[in-house]
Amino acid sequence: MDLTRRRLLGLAGASLGGIALHTAGFSAGSAWAAPRFAGDPFAFGVASGDPLPDGVVLWTRLAPDPLALDGRGGMPELVVDVEWQVAEDESFGTVVAEGVERATPELAHSVHVEVAGLAPGRDYVYRFRAGGDISPVGRTRTARTDGAALNFAFASCQCWYEGFYTGYRHMAGEDLDLVLHLGDYLYEYGVGETGGVRGVALDASFQRETQTLVDYRNRHALTRLDLDLQAAHQAFPWVLTWDDHEVENNWAADFAQSDSDGYPDDDPVAWRARKAAAFQAYYEHLPLRLPQRPNGAEARMYRRLGFGSLLDLHVLDTRSHRDDQVCGDGTKSGCDIERSAPERTILGAEQESWLLDGAGRSAATWNVLANQTLVAQVDQDPDPLVHTSGLDMWDGYTAARDRLLTGLWERNVNNPVVVTGDIHRAVVADLTLDFADEHAPAVATEFAGSSVTSGKDGSPTDDVGAAWLAPGVNPHLKWHSSQRGYTVVQATPEELRVSYRVTPMVTIPGSGIETVATFAVAAGQPGAQPA
């Protein structure tokens, strides 16, 4: 890496804008003059994210002792100047951008570089250097603007102790423009004495539920050490949003999970402190831009990314602004009045207006909503006299769902498609204005992807899937699977084609990959058809 100390000082001056933005208010003293690390400082690898036509954000975190019990990753309380380069070729013969970013102890020595001035729809490589250590080389791609096909994968729910991330190794071999992660990047529960199926011994601090910043940092660190996950991050830019387990199961804005888990989350001050710790650790470990950096227990995760005339991506946050779940949460019947209250919201008024107004103004062929919990109505009991609903899903917020779907229809939004995580099963659904009318036309299409590992090994179907697809129960549901994997989407001006990739086994490493279903939506014709 051709960066001398004199050149380093010059680049630091050229990069002050990024330093001032991402590390404002943090350690302002002199940097560690000649850092030497006891281990590989790039143990978590590298990543990029949120591609724009002219740039991406680059990420790494310095951690020579990645699971250090104090959460510092083996780093001293010193600032480290980290050099970075972006090039057109893997030999770095044509460097197109370079600079220095300051890694501070306040952000766990994470680095977020917002690179601009690149060409649209281009592949680039990038790397970092700290002291004498050079990171792995990552590959990224800026957003397309030419209207050509866009390929992306989406995934969610990657419980570390319930399965191996073999799916990510296969994903790294795909030809993708980007990856969407729809939530549950980690799980807050204790990982078990042997790390579940991973079969590794860990300190007792990993056996308890995460509560503090140190807890969340080390749970992210444990997740980020997986080499298959690193490979997928290293291969493509990612666009991420959170769901519940990044903080706590089924949290809702200022409401913790309503249970008796022994933690003081019923105390609003303690709950906000826990949220703040979880939010900060999430930002520290992922390739997020400055607007997503949290301010204590507040963060704005919803945002919009454009890919020319082809596709607008609306990234949602269905956790931070929702009303609390009704009827004690869970899956149950007999809660119709409460869950359908007209004032209830899952997005919050500001995000709801932002989404509908932005989608209504979009001139792109496709409007894709990156969403967490299932939008489609699902009666989970085949008994025609009983309607059983999942109250954490949009079924628990039916007025909000009506406003969403009616808003998309009234604004004549171009080809709305929802991609969803959370439910540990794959579902294809037509979204209508009246789910009670099996002949109601579709106004949008939903593709829910299964988990990467959560729930351990799945199966092509199970009792839940059989109940959901029972004749006459949910006629708008087109397909279901409870196997594990990820989903690949190809968008063209003519159609959006969705392929479900499955890893049959996740409790042992090295599973193969197969495509078990493919569906397509034709432009101008909402509703999924087998392809």
Side-chain angles (χ1 to χ4, degrees), residues 266-296:
D266 55 346
D267 175 356
V269 175
W271 170 237
R272 287 185 66 83
R274 182 178 182 184
K275 277 177 61 181
F279 287 6
Q280 178 171 336
Y282 184 86
Y283 174 80
E284 290 171 345
H285 289 85
L286 294 168
L288 297 167
R289 291 184 179 272
L290 185 65
Q292 280 63 65
R293 198 179 87 184
N295 179 15

Side-chain angles (χ1 to χ4, degrees), residues 9 33 99 293 319 334 480:
L9 294 174
R293 198 179 87 184
R319 285 291 159 193
H480 167 277

Side-chain angles (χ1 to χ4, degrees), residues 122-281:
R122 283 285 306 273
D123 285 347
Y124 292 95
V125 294
Y126 62 95
R127 62 183 176 180
F128 299 90
R129 188 173 77 175
D133 292 276
I134 299 176
S135 75
V137 174
R139 180 173 294 277
T140 192
R141 183 175 293 175
T142 50
R144 308 185 70 104
T145 59
D146 58 6
L150 183 75
N151 298 315
F152 64 90
F154 67 90
S156 67
C157 304
Q158 54 188 51
C159 187
W160 180 87
Y161 54 85
E162 288 197 334
F164 292 89
Y165 293 159
T166 312
Y168 281 130
R169 177 63 60 175
H170 292 294
M171 182 189 289
E174 303 266 8
D175 180 14
L176 303 175
D177 292 282
L178 69 150
V179 172
L180 298 182
H181 197 281
L182 301 175
D184 295 345
Y185 193 89
L186 56 71
Y187 280 70
E188 79 280 16
Y189 307 126
V191 303
E193 294 183 359
T194 62
V197 303
R198 299 278 182 150
V200 296
L202 295 166
D203 181 79
S205 62
F206 290 92
Q207 313 311 317
R208 62 174 180 260
E209 190 168 318
T210 51
Q211 289 287 314
T212 67
L213 179 58
V214 170
D215 291 340
Y216 283 107
R217 278 176 173 171
N218 277 352
R219 202 59 55 85
H220 274 283
L222 187 65
T223 303
R224 290 306 304 257
L225 284 173
D226 185 276
L227 296 181
D228 291 339
L229 177 61
Q230 287 187 25
H233 271 294
Q234 193 173 332
F236 319 108
W238 283 42
V239 177
L240 301 108
T241 186
W242 55 44
D243 192 18
D244 53 340
H245 289 288
E246 287 88 352
V247 184
E248 181 196 44
N249 180 56
N250 283 17
W251 67 277
D254 289 330
F255 299 94
Q257 184 182 31
S258 177
D259 62 12
S260 55
D261 59 7
Y263 296 103
D265 288 344
D266 55 346
D267 175 356
V269 175
W271 170 237
R272 287 185 66 83
R274 182 178 182 184
K275 277 177 61 181
F279 287 6
Q280 178 171 336

Side-chain angles (χ1 to χ4, degrees), residues 312-326:
D312 279 344
L313 176 63
H314 311 270
V315 182
L316 305 185
D317 175 1
T318 61
R319 285 291 159 193
S320 300
H321 313 285
R322 66 159 68 191
D323 290 318
D324 198 9
Q325 296 91 345
V326 293

